[in-house]
Amino acid sequence: MPELFIEGRWASAVDGQTREIHCPADGTLVATVDEAGPKDAAAAIEAARAAFDSGPWPRTPAAERGRLLLRVADLLERDQTALARAESLDTGKRLVESEHDLDDIANCFRYFGNLVAAGGTERVVDTGDPDIDSRVVHEPVGVCTLITPWNYPLLQTAWKVAPALAAGNTFVLKPSELTPHTAIGLMRLLAEAGLPDGAANLVLGAGPVVGVPLTVDERVDMVSFTGGLATGRHIMAAAAPTVKKIALELGGKNPNIVFTDAAFDAAVDHALTAVFLHSGQVCSAGARLLVQAELHDRFVDELVHRAREIRLGGPFDEHARTGPLISAAHRAKVEAYVAAGLDEGAVLRCGGRRPDDPALQNGYYYLPTVLDDCTPGMSVVRDESFGPVLTVEQFRDEEEAVLLANDTVYGLAGGVWTTDEGRARRVASRLRAGTVWINDFHPYVPQAEWGGMKQSGVGRELGPAGLAEYQEPKHIWRNTAPTPQRWFA
Ligand code: NAD
């Protein structure tokens, strides 16, 4: 069955191109899928444009749009097992993690469905003149290009698709070329839920080939992108000539700050999940551990001890605690960062190589790695390696902790561990990041905004602001008793 979804119909790529998808856990062929080119991108944009300009979706009442999203949430729950399996085969991540993601994905559709159905976004403006009816309404932006990465394929897609549809937009989705299957599954569910033809369109393929036309075409009103910083910069530039609205969710190099008075066991435990969850392929990974000098030796010894115990394995290995990296190229990049860190003086405390286990040799595995004695100038500290690599730096006091934490171009997330409430509040308010966790790491909820300061992005996903990204406020002024103004007598 063809895998591109354009104007409500499944289609093969015009040029007949295909791509093989391999499971990163063992290299096996998952499937061969259609690979779109610029002509397919143009057809998808045209379909979304027509659906926006003359189709029913933008004119569907908000309550009805909300109901459709709730139906999609139900369908996602119905198909959870199949979708989680597809996600795990594409990404190599553990099945339980994919199942957990699927819960969050259904919740995301439910949240935006309820939010938009509740209405209340229209605002009456009091001008003081009883003859003037002035109000601000929120309209959809138009045709949205949605581009997503491979680490949380369907979750990142849901964070865009749900609010974009809730607001009444039409879209063209381009998932990562490495992980297309759950996006295909979502299109089926949107059609089954009753979304009108052309409102949702899917093209699959490489960023430079099929992503670029989606970011430059003048028929597109908005580009919402999640991915790496370098690609984000390209997209910002590509969208500039036609002054598109943009929303960017980019990378992070997130600090996890541990003071001596932290709850020791919980802080060590969360420091591990902060960085090694999904083998570090998480935008909000706590990849920079900043630990107070007096606590350093005890904390890092315990952390290294537990990191050595983390078992690697494929999606269906019930004993595994984390999986492979997404590709050979990505693993090579992680290895290069570790090598550079060691050259620059970091001390290897564990990992730093591929596992010996013969059962893992066909996958792109890399051992959980801790680099101690790191300094702010090292590339492994500054850049997002996006792998299972923790760098450790020491600080003396609160002031130095904040300076080190903010010494990055990124500003996505950060954590602080202390039992001193005043200090927790002070540090949280000084961290330049879109999310700060106090005595925790990683949780998020669809009600709360997610996004980055500095070069971690532009705009927000989730929460009311996540819906507002896909809306244009319009001020409508109605004079109910017009009289001549005589400005120009
Ligand atoms: P990437 O930037 O390589 O690719 C992301 C998407 O952009 C893919 O679909 C890709 O095909 C497409 N693309 C690539 N070049 C393009 C171009 N020139 N024009 C248009 N599209 C193009 O990122 P990735 O490696 O897939 O994902 C990992 C990155 O995503 C990490 O940096 C991570 O931090 C980031 N991320 C951020 C968040 C967040 O919420 N801030 C969430 C998840 C991932």
Side-chain angles (χ1 to χ4, degrees):
M1 179 173 164
E3 284 102 359
L4 312 184
F5 190 62
I6 299 173
E7 214 183 346
R9 284 185 292 277
W10 293 97
S12 296
V14 170
D15 293 336
Q17 299 287 317
T18 58
R19 174 188 291 266
E20 290 187 348
I21 307 298
H22 293 267
C23 179
D26 55 13
T28 51
L29 180 67
V30 176
T32 301
V33 297
D34 290 298
E35 174 93 345
K39 290 178 202 147
D40 306 292
I45 294 169
E46 187 52 39
R49 186 75 257 167
F52 186 81
D53 292 340
S54 49
W57 186 247
R59 285 153 281 280
T60 300
E64 210 175 301
R65 295 200 303 268
R67 274 198 296 279
L68 185 132
L69 293 196
L70 299 185
R71 275 203 295 283
V72 175
D74 291 343
L75 295 174
L76 283 162
E77 275 171 359
R78 183 196 69 189
D79 291 356
Q80 187 189 46
T81 308
L83 286 166
R85 208 184 137 75
E87 193 83 313
S88 282
L89 288 172
D90 278 3
T91 60
K93 78 166 70 165
R94 293 188 310 147
L95 186 63
V96 287
E97 291 181 35
S98 296
E99 286 168 348
H100 183 84
D101 293 349
L102 257 296
D103 286 339
D104 288 358
I105 290 158
N107 285 339
C108 174
F109 273 88
R110 236 169 235 130
Y111 168 72
F112 282 111
N114 287 325
L115 184 68
V116 76
T121 55
E122 183 169 310
R123 199 171 81 242
V124 174
V125 179
D126 181 2
T127 64
D129 182 342
D131 291 334
I132 298 299
D133 171 18
S134 164
R135 55 188 67 227
V136 176
V137 297
H138 291 90
E139 299 187 346
V141 176
V143 173
C144 303
T145 282
L146 311 177
I147 300 179
T148 52
W150 47 260
N151 60 336
Y152 285 87
L154 193 55
L155 188 69
Q156 300 301 336
T157 298
W159 289 14
K160 299 184 190 306
V161 166
L165 287 180
N169 297 279
T170 64
F171 69 80
V172 180
L173 168 65
K174 195 210 82 65
S176 166
E177 57 274 32
L178 302 177
T179 54
H181 281 102
T182 47
I184 298 167
L186 180 64
M187 291 301 119
R188 292 204 180 101
L189 299 188
L190 293 175
E192 185 179 343
L195 189 70
D197 290 351
N201 302 275
L202 173 71
V203 292
L204 307 175
V209 179
V210 75
V212 169
L214 297 175
T215 58
V216 300
D217 195 296
E218 63 182 359
R219 292 167 293 180
V220 171
D221 300 295
M222 170 175 178
V223 179
S224 175
F225 168 78
T226 301
L229 174 56
T231 316
R233 288 183 181 133
H234 278 298
I235 285 178
M236 209 166 181
T242 48
V243 195
K244 297 185 195 318
K245 185 170 182 184
I246 54 164
L248 302 175
E249 293 289 337
L250 308 177
K253 193 70 191 187
N254 313 287
N256 186 18
I257 308 170
V258 183
F259 286 92
T260 46
D261 63 351
F264 184 83
D265 184 38
V268 175
D269 181 73
H270 283 258
L272 290 170
T273 353
V275 63
F276 297 131
L277 182 75
H278 196 11
S279 287
Q281 302 169 114
V282 182
C283 53
S284 53
R288 281 189 298 146
L289 176 68
L290 307 179
V291 58
Q292 200 158 14
E294 298 90 311
L295 184 65
H296 169 271
D297 292 359
R298 182 173 161 234
F299 195 88
V300 177
D301 285 351
E302 181 59 25
L303 188 133
V304 166
H305 171 69
R306 296 191 203 180
R308 287 200 175 109
E309 303 293 309
I310 296 173
R311 186 175 160 153
L312 304 181
F316 311 109
D317 176 350
E318 285 175 7
H319 302 293
R321 287 294 164 265
T322 192
L325 298 176
I326 188 70
S327 65
H330 184 50
R331 180 170 63 181
K333 181 181 127 183
V334 172
E335 287 174 330
Y337 273 118
V338 172
L342 295 175
D343 273 357
E344 290 169 297
V347 173
L348 182 67
R349 294 293 306 270
C350 66
R353 62 183 175 82
R354 304 174 187 188
D356 299 324
D357 185 347
L360 301 181
Q361 298 311 307
N362 291 333
Y364 310 121
Y365 292 92
Y366 194 74
L367 289 173
T369 297
V370 177
L371 296 177
D372 204 354
D373 291 352
C374 291
T375 51
M378 294 175 177
S379 57
V380 71
V381 172
R382 303 203 77 74
D383 301 345
E384 189 187 44
S385 71
F386 221 52
V389 180
L390 181 68
T391 63
V392 183
E393 295 168 80
Q394 299 184 38
F395 64 85
R396 284 180 303 274
D397 55 19
E398 195 176 308
E399 187 62 26
E400 193 180 14
V402 170
L403 286 176
L404 283 172
N406 284 334
D407 184 14
T408 166
V409 299
Y410 292 109
L412 188 61
V416 51
W417 289 82
T418 175
T419 45
D420 178 335
E421 283 184 27
R423 175 153 64 195
R425 268 199 308 278
R426 284 192 303 275
V427 173
S429 79
R430 291 182 66 192
L431 286 185
R432 296 269 296 139
T435 296
V436 177
W437 294 290
I438 297 172
N439 297 329
D440 215 327
F441 214 96
H442 278 321
Y444 74 93
V445 286
Q447 299 89 332
E449 276 74 1
W450 177 269
M453 296 184 184
K454 302 197 279 184
Q455 295 184 37
S456 281
V458 177
R460 289 293 180 273
E461 297 198 300
L462 303 180
L467 178 63
E469 287 290 340
Y470 293 92
Q471 294 175 318
E472 291 278 19
K474 179 187 278 181
H475 177 207
I476 300 176
W477 171 287
R478 186 164 69 98
N479 189 341
T480 60
T483 52
Q485 215 179 6
R486 309 284 181 225
W487 186 279
F488 299 110

